[in-house]
Amino acid sequence: MTTGLIPGGQPPEQRPTEAPMPQQRLDPAGPSALPALPALPADNRPRSSVITARAAASFEPVGRSVATARSFVRDTLQGWGFADIVDDAVVLTSELVTNAVVHAGTHAEVLCLRTDDGVRIEVSDHYPEREVPLQTSASPMASPDREGGRGLQLCAALATRWGVDYTPTHKHVWFQLNLPERPVGTRTAGPALPADLLPVADGRVRVAVLQVDRKGTLTSWNEDAEDLFGHPAAEAVGRPLTELAAWPHTPGTSTGVAEALQLSRWEGSYGIRGADGRVVQVYASHLRVRDTGGEPSTVCLLVRDHERAVLQTPTRVPAGDQSSAQDGQSTDPFEVFIGSPAPDDLDGLLQRTVERARDMLDGDSAFLLLATDDETELEVRASTGLPSARQRFARVPVEAGPGRYGSARMPAVHDDLSAVPGAVPLLGGTGMRSVVTVPLKVEGRLTGSLGVAAEASGRYSNEEALRLQFAADRIALAVESARLGELERLRRGSLSFLVEASDLLAGTLDRDQTLALMAQMTVPTLATWCAVYTIADQASDPYLSYVLHEDEELIDGIKSLLSKIAPPDPVPTPGARVWTTPGEVAHQAALRTSMRTLGLAGGPTHRITGGIGPTLATASAVGGETVVLPLVARNRVIGMLVLGKPTDEHFRQEILELAEDLSRRAALALDNARLYSERTAISQALQRSLLPPGTPHIDGVEVEVIYRAAGEGNEVGGDFYDLFPIGNGAYGFAIGDVCGTGPNAAAVTGLARHALRLLAREGLSGPAVLERLNSAILDEGDRSRFLTLLYGELRPQPDGSAELKVVCAGHPLPLRLRQDGTVTPAAEPQPLLGVIEDLELYEERVTLDPGDVLLCVTDGVTERREGSRMLGDDGLADVLTTCTGLTAGAVAARIMRAVERFASDAPSDDMAILAMRVPGLHHNEG
């Protein structure tokens, strides 16, 4: 890939602004090829648009280029500050680059152009047979249900503008994404209000002023802070703010105290622990500053929570509404208080809504639930005044409870919850007695429920219900719009996530790496921790194969816990199901451990498996919701993916749906890795069975063999060798080459090697052995292959020499190296095997004197090439002349080094080297 970045570059060259109509034909090869399309939209962007920066990259026509192109576009747009449109741009780029490099099979150029209002991305390919299409009648776009041909449909759905430009040699598919409009805030004064509508303060308003250094330590604590919280300055200064902050006070505040102190500005509610141990609810404004030396710190202004109006940022009225306000037209006070949050700030909008509803009805708590997509359940999304955030994302059925009070589709008032136990499950155990709830509806559809509760009974009547319903009607449309926007962003982000996940999972066939990828894609994007169980076959129990937690220190504790409890049942039913066992067992074990530590007897009577010993941290880590998703591939459950949350946390339905999609892809990838591993093991076992079990020791003769099979993963090819005892002090040796390489050649290899051993041990001579082997090869019919073979019998002699009987059937001649350095052929060529039936062969006798070497090779050695050069028989003989005095092992090693160094490319043919040497009085190592 080549890239270039040119800040402030000029606009791109002028191209046709409207593409003619393509003919009814597809791009070459592939389901993602572009379908025939109607007339494409014109590029009607203003040509005066200023291109403030451009980035370009070129990608090779290989599959991995798609992932590289996605990363290039993502990094470019994030560097330009265009995070709002990154997901859409990545998805569109992935489709278009796939079509170019995978299906069209050409290089692809990606050009990113930045303007003031968005970005334009162009993807070009070089399909050489592309013609400029003629204009024809419009034809319908391909069905969105088909597997491929959706690249331009995605452009039409996601892009602001898009089009296709053709030239005789290039095709340019471009799309433009504009940044979403952001309302510009204006500084205005708050509306004039009667005195009885002003916020209530307790006498003198006290504003606590705290200053916190970059490490989160308090460096300043004023008198109002002492009055509000009871801590003297001398006691507070020097302590970390986290020791005093009860954070967060309400759910929906996703920012932690440490993160809030790092922000340039932050406002919100939380608590401060006073000297008496009670938590004082405060509204705070944090402003990050730096001193003259550049040292950053944070100034915190805090008031009591009900006096928030003192610090809260004034409501900003849109500029277009100022005239109507000045004309005396009334403004909805509820809408004024909520303000105009950012379009994508759903949590902020919901949190302001519940706080305003609580204040409006003078309640002690408030909560808001949003309906799920099927409107059968309500999901807790915001609350204030409740003990903790444990209810966030919890779900309750819409029609739960008796009578009209149980339905969220109409207003309801409960005077005393103690008289109707379980009427509002969310408030169980919170101390709330009376509650009023109203529905949020848009065009008659239930979209949520808003409630306000108080600790006293009988606080609310129908009048309060009407007031709250009026407020809910005013905010329902804004909430639904923000919810749909969040859902759309989640879905687009999910699509981008699944594209990346599929690419990663498809890039490996290693089982362990696939398991690791599954876990790393899940944590922390979808869950806090996960575990993967695998099932070898239908008769096997699930086996815990992998565990991952976002905090590495907790992995061992979770693994120990899961290994001591029964795994979940391998149910093939799709979807996530809750698994409560890990949380229950961890809680009970931690409770017993704590009681033993405190010296208390008793404890839970439930028997806990010994040896678990999880710490309190482990119990907290698995104490939230735990779900199990089956890993189903080819109609068989091959494992389970377990996802978990820490204490008091639940999964959102959107996350579970995304996890289900991921589990389907991961299951197929894991099963592919299993099948590949099994077939590789079978192949290697069969190949190893074709090799000799070992090289026998021969008294008075040194023997060395080097064997290299061509092709990745092959242990045996068309070349083979063997050395085996015949009897009466004689040994048979053979080196051969079957025509071709790979499994088919290896099959003939096995036939030849085993037939040689069997026939030689029957006492047949060398020519008789080869003639019968020739007949056996011809009997294979269409599966028969040509075979060159050098076969001989070796018999050491009492005088230190060795006598050989050799038959060379079409094979490279064996070379004899004498002690004086001369190299001569040790046999004459005869016909190869597997060609003619009536084969007449003869054997030749050779005597190896002490110090002599006999070198036998296959044609993979002599036919080693580098361009037009070939090593050849003469080159091999030249190398052998340098081996005088070397051992058989050193001779074979020197020949192999010479072959490898002769050419830079990896060998494309099998190679076998058999060196036999009769030791002399002296020899050198080399």
Side-chain angles (χ1 to χ4, degrees):
M1 181 188 78
T2 58
T3 63
L5 181 63
I6 311 153
Q10 296 300 317
E13 59 180 348
Q14 299 290 325
R15 294 193 177 123
T17 59
E18 186 170 355
M21 186 64 207
Q23 296 180 2
Q24 287 286 348
R25 60 185 278 244
L26 300 178
D27 275 324
S32 294
L34 300 177
L37 298 169
L40 300 173
D43 178 10
N44 54 3
R45 80 183 193 280
R47 288 297 175 178
S48 60
S49 298
V50 177
I51 305 300
T52 57
R54 69 171 65 183
S58 177
F59 302 94
E60 298 178 355
V62 293
R64 64 177 180 272
S65 293
V66 179
T68 309
R70 287 197 296 266
S71 299
F72 164 70
V73 171
R74 183 185 299 278
D75 294 343
T76 299
L77 267 59
Q78 287 179 343
W80 288 348
F82 288 172
D84 295 359
I85 59 177
V86 163
D87 288 335
D88 288 352
V90 168
V91 169
L92 294 178
T93 302
S94 179
E95 286 288 330
L96 299 180
V97 173
T98 298
N99 188 66
V101 303
V102 176
H103 301 300
T106 76
H107 282 74
E109 279 77 38
V110 178
L111 175 64
C112 301
L113 303 174
R114 184 182 69 184
T115 64
D116 293 336
D117 56 354
V119 67
R120 171 183 166 118
I121 296 178
E122 299 180 2
V123 179
S124 305
D125 65 44
H126 302 271
Y127 183 51
E129 298 179 7
R130 166 71 64 187
E131 300 175 355
V132 178
L134 301 177
Q135 185 171 357
T136 61
S137 59
S139 59
M141 188 174 285
S143 168
D145 296 329
R146 60 177 290 181
E147 284 299 318
R150 295 178 294 190
L152 297 188
Q153 285 183 316
L154 284 175
C155 288
L158 301 180
T160 307
R161 300 186 186 91
W162 64 279
V164 183
D165 299 338
Y166 290 102
T167 69
T169 58
H170 292 72
K171 180 188 69 180
H172 308 276
V173 183
W174 62 268
F175 60 88
Q176 182 169 327
L177 297 172
N178 288 348
L179 291 175
E181 295 183 1
R182 297 186 178 93
V184 180
T186 58
R187 292 184 175 274
T188 64
L193 296 176
D196 57 349
L197 294 181
L198 294 175
V200 178
D202 297 338
R204 173 173 174 259
V205 175
R206 298 187 180 277
V207 181
V209 180
L210 286 58
Q211 191 160 4
V212 184
D213 62 17
R214 69 161 68 223
K215 297 180 180 179
T217 303
L218 289 164
T219 59
S220 177
W221 184 270
N222 72 341
E223 294 181 0
D224 281 355
E226 295 184 9
D227 292 337
L228 285 174
F229 311 122
H231 297 287
E235 178 183 317
V237 172
R239 296 175 63 181
L241 179 61
T242 52
E243 291 186 4
L244 301 179
W247 190 288
H249 170 52
T250 55
T253 309
S254 58
T255 305
V257 60
E259 289 80 5
L261 294 175
Q262 297 298 320
L263 298 176
S264 59
R265 187 174 183 84
W266 183 90
E267 290 186 20
S269 299
Y270 56 93
I272 295 291
R273 296 183 181 87
D276 56 1
R278 297 182 179 181
V279 175
V280 180
Q281 310 301 337
V282 298
Y283 187 85
S285 175
H286 295 177
L287 177 64
R288 193 163 169 81
V289 297
R290 61 185 175 89
D291 58 23
T292 55
E295 183 67 17
S297 62
T298 302
V299 176
C300 310
L301 307 179
L302 298 85
V303 297
R304 293 184 178 90
D305 192 55
H306 64 272
E307 297 173 341
R308 65 176 58 205
V310 177
L311 297 180
Q312 196 165 26
T313 301
T315 302
R316 295 181 176 179
V317 181
D321 296 339
Q322 291 182 359
S323 59
S324 61
Q326 293 172 357
D327 293 340
Q329 297 181 9
S330 61
T331 304
D332 181 6
F334 186 82
E335 192 171 303
V336 169
F337 195 90
I338 295 300
S340 300
D344 58 350
D345 187 15
L346 176 61
D347 286 339
L349 175 62
L350 300 182
Q351 195 60 39
R352 295 189 201 185
T353 300
V354 295
E355 291 175 354
R356 170 56 180 155
R358 179 196 63 181
D359 295 343
M360 185 173 65
L361 297 188
D362 193 22
D364 296 311
S365 65
F367 52 90
L368 190 148
L369 303 90
L370 292 185
T372 56
D373 290 342
D374 56 8
E375 299 183 3
T376 60
E377 291 181 306
L378 294 174
E379 185 179 61
V380 181
R381 291 299 302 271
S383 65
T384 181
L386 295 179
S388 71
R390 69 180 185 277
Q391 304 291 350
R392 183 165 168 81
F393 298 126
R395 296 191 169 201
V396 295
V398 171
E399 302 294 344
R404 73 182 187 92
Y405 294 108
S407 175
R409 301 184 186 278
M410 60 183 67
V413 178
H414 294 274
D415 291 329
D416 193 348
L417 290 176
S418 61
V420 191
V424 184
L426 175 64
L427 299 180
T430 62
M432 300 298 161
R433 296 283 298 278
S434 56
V435 61
V436 53
T437 61
V438 298
L440 276 70
K441 294 184 177 181
V442 176
E443 298 178 350
R445 293 186 305 103
L446 178 70
T447 61
S449 178
L450 177 63
V452 177
E455 296 178 353
S457 60
R459 283 281 299 273
Y460 302 114
S461 63
N462 288 340
E463 181 180 353
E464 281 80 9
L466 289 175
R467 291 179 59 196
L468 190 60
Q469 184 66 70
F470 175 76
D473 293 341
R474 304 293 292 182
I475 200 65
L477 184 59
V479 169
E480 179 66 0
S481 176
R483 186 185 74 87
L484 292 177
E486 179 191 65
L487 184 60
E488 182 66 16
R489 285 189 299 276
L490 283 174
R491 286 175 177 171
R492 292 185 178 184
S494 298
L495 179 59
S496 179
F497 171 79
L498 290 175
V499 168
E500 297 279 1
S502 300
D503 189 59
L504 288 172
L505 290 172
T508 178
L509 286 173
D510 182 83
R511 175 183 176 276
D512 293 338
Q513 188 174 1
T514 301
L515 289 172
L517 284 174
M518 289 172 57
Q520 291 166 6
M521 288 184 293
T522 302
V523 177
T525 305
L526 305 181
T528 305
W529 66 272
C530 82
V532 182
Y533 288 86
T534 56
I535 303 175
D537 52 60
Q538 297 293 345
S540 302
D541 294 328
Y543 174 74
L544 182 63
S545 298
Y546 203 92
V547 175
L548 184 65
H549 191 283
E550 62 183 8
D551 184 354
E552 295 182 356
E553 295 181 356
L554 298 177
I555 294 177
D556 291 339
I558 297 176
K559 186 181 298 183
S560 174
L561 170 68
L562 296 178
S563 64
K564 299 300 190 297
I565 62 177
D569 296 330
V571 179
T573 306
R577 53 191 173 92
V578 177
W579 188 29
T580 60
T581 305
E584 293 173 352
V585 174
H587 174 74
Q588 294 167 3
L591 180 59
R592 289 183 55 134
T593 301
S594 299
M595 295 183 70
R596 286 196 301 268
T597 302
L598 297 174
L600 300 176
T605 58
H606 177 73
R607 178 178 176 82
I608 301 175
T609 304
I612 295 179
T615 63
L616 292 175
T618 302
S620 176
V622 301
E625 189 173 36
T626 302
V627 297
V628 180
L629 296 103
L631 298 175
V632 181
R634 298 175 176 89
N635 298 320
R636 186 174 75 87
V637 181
I638 64 170
M640 290 160 290
L641 177 63
V642 179
L643 307 180
K645 288 280 191 179
T647 301
D648 296 336
E649 289 195 21
H650 301 270
F651 287 99
R652 297 188 61 178
Q653 185 63 27
E654 294 83 0
I655 295 297
L656 293 179
E657 292 172 356
L658 180 58
E660 187 176 356
D661 286 339
L662 176 63
S663 68
R664 287 195 292 268
R665 289 164 170 78
L668 187 59
L670 185 61
D671 200 45
N672 288 340
R674 177 187 63 83
L675 292 174
Y676 178 78
S677 299
E678 289 179 356
R679 293 181 181 180
T680 299
I682 293 172
S683 174
Q684 291 175 346
L686 291 176
Q687 291 185 64
R688 283 192 292 269
S689 69
L690 300 177
L691 294 173
T695 302
H697 174 73
I698 303 176
D699 292 334
V701 179
E702 299 174 358
V703 179
E704 181 66 24
V705 177
I706 296 180
Y707 183 83
R708 300 282 175 84
E712 183 179 357
N714 291 333
E715 294 188 28
V716 177
D719 290 6
F720 69 96
Y721 71 93
D722 203 358
L723 181 64
F724 55 92
I726 297 176
N728 298 323
Y731 294 84
F733 67 91
I735 183 168
D737 183 4
V738 179
C739 176
T741 60
N744 293 330
V748 179
T749 295
L751 170 65
R753 195 176 67 80
H754 290 94
L756 282 175
R757 285 197 173 211
L758 179 63
L759 295 172
R761 287 172 176 171
E762 290 296 323
L764 298 177
S765 64
V769 168
L770 269 60
E771 288 168 4
R772 286 167 172 74
L773 175 59
N774 180 66
S775 299
I777 295 174
L778 291 175
D779 288 343
E780 291 292 305
D782 294 339
R783 295 182 300 177
S784 66
R785 288 174 174 260
F786 304 150
L787 171 64
T788 68
L789 180 64
L790 171 65
Y791 173 75
E793 295 181 4
L794 168 69
R795 188 184 299 272
Q797 299 299 312
D799 61 358
S801 64
E803 182 181 340
L804 288 81
K805 299 177 182 179
V806 182
V807 181
C808 185
H811 198 77
L813 300 179
L815 299 179
R816 176 182 181 180
L817 172 65
R818 295 182 180 275
Q819 279 190 313
D820 59 3
T822 59
V823 174
T824 58
E828 295 180 354
Q830 300 184 56
L832 74 166
L833 308 182
V835 180
I836 58 177
E837 294 183 2
D838 297 330
L839 191 64
E840 295 183 1
L841 302 173
Y842 60 91
E843 65 183 8
E844 302 175 68
R845 294 178 179 271
V846 179
T847 301
L848 295 182
D849 297 324
D852 288 356
V853 175
L854 183 71
L855 177 66
C856 309
V857 300
T858 58
D859 60 6
V861 174
T862 57
E863 294 180 2
R864 176 71 162 149
R865 293 181 179 274
E866 173 70 15
S868 60
R869 298 187 308 120
M870 185 172 71
L871 180 62
D873 296 332
D874 294 338
L876 178 63
D878 292 341
V879 177
L880 185 59
T881 57
T882 66
C883 299
T884 303
L886 299 182
T887 64
V891 170
R894 179 168 293 185
I895 298 297
M896 179 56 70
R897 284 199 302 270
V899 172
E900 292 175 342
R901 293 173 180 174
F902 187 80
S904 58
D905 297 336
S908 59
D909 195 6
D910 304 326
M911 292 188 295
I913 300 174
L914 173 61
M916 294 182 289
R917 179 179 182 273
V918 178
L921 297 178
H922 302 285
H923 64 264
N924 299 323
E925 301 292 341

